[in-house]
Amino acid sequence: MKMADLGDVRLHYREDGDPDGAPIVFANSLGTDLRLWDKVVPLLPKGLRIVRYDKRGHGLSSCPKGPYSMGALVRDVERLMELLAIKDAMFVGLSIGGMIAQGLAVKRLDLVRAAVFSNTGAKIGQPAMWQDRMEAVKASGIEALADATMERWFSKDFRATPEVDVWRNMMTRQPQDGYLGCSAAISGTDFYTPTSGLRLPVLGIAGSEDGSTPPDLVRETADLVPGSQFALIRRVGHLPCVEKPEEYAGLLTKFLRETGHV
Ligand SMILES: O=C(O)CC1=CCC(=O)O1
């Protein structure tokens, strides 16, 4: 376990693979921590430097007082990558992690050589929806959102398995202030214009049963970047890396090869 002290925040991160290999950085979604990628990491090609981290207010990272801005979330990973001397990475971001990927690529193309916009959007939901969600959490805790969230995160088949409780517990055990802080950041983000200016290899990944960022939104977001690719994983919800890790890792491996990372 490693902790990066970035001044106003301490980020928990983990490195796997070859420290001298081509870097791939993973950013996870609202209500999850870096274990989101546990099933995918062992399926990636050997020889990569694999870095994942808990964004502020999540997992084992510190939880500064909110609300957070998307700019702060982007700055956190920018500073983490600088600290770890990582450049030219493949950046894989899921949901809010995919927003962080867009923001980081816009700001620091030297850090991001290629990006995966997984189950994300240039804009996710409407401010009124996020306001309702934040009020429900303030009134009754994250638990109040858990049942509806599992329906967005997972397909019907997966929800019938006992594993769904693992992810439900992960969500409900995130710090409430971290969940609220990141919700505020999503609510305030509209990347349509900046993402349209990006010029780098992009792969959009969507889940056919994603109740949070439906395939059309992911495709529309990837399409903002000329030459981007799009892949649909069938019979999965918002977290395809959990439901179909082999297919997900297969898409990443193909993209890593095409972009010269392996
Ligand atoms: O909770 C959800 O609906 C899923 C989600 C939206 C943004 C994010 O990061 O996760």
Side-chain angles (χ1 to χ4, degrees), residues 240-251:
C241 49
V242 170
E243 287 196 66
K244 295 223 175 144
E246 289 84 5
E247 203 171 325
Y248 197 90
L251 290 171

Side-chain angles (χ1 to χ4, degrees), residues 29-30 95-96 124 130 133 149 152-153 179 186 212 238:
S29 59
L30 179 67
S95 204
I96 186 175
I124 301 178
W130 288 107
R133 231 199 248 201
T149 302
R152 294 192 299 272
W153 281 10
Y179 189 95
I186 299 169
S212 302
H238 189 55

Side-chain angles (χ1 to χ4, degrees), residues 135-155:
E135 274 163 24
V137 170
K138 281 180 199 158
S140 315
I142 298 180
E143 183 65 40
L145 305 179
D147 288 343
T149 302
M150 293 306 109
E151 293 195 9
R152 294 192 299 272
W153 281 10
F154 299 117
S155 65

Side-chain angles (χ1 to χ4, degrees), residues 169-231:
N169 286 345
M170 184 184 285
M171 178 195 170
T172 57
R173 290 176 191 180
Q174 298 304 323
Q176 185 167 311
D177 285 350
Y179 189 95
L180 290 171
C182 286
S183 297
I186 299 169
S187 174
T189 299
D190 180 343
F191 273 144
Y192 274 100
T193 303
T195 297
S196 302
L198 280 174
R199 298 294 177 265
L200 81 167
V202 164
L203 168 65
I205 300 180
S208 64
E209 294 171 39
D210 186 341
S212 302
T213 52
D216 280 355
L217 173 64
V218 183
R219 187 191 290 273
E220 179 185 68
T221 301
D223 276 353
L224 294 173
V225 185
S228 65
Q229 302 181 37
F230 174 79

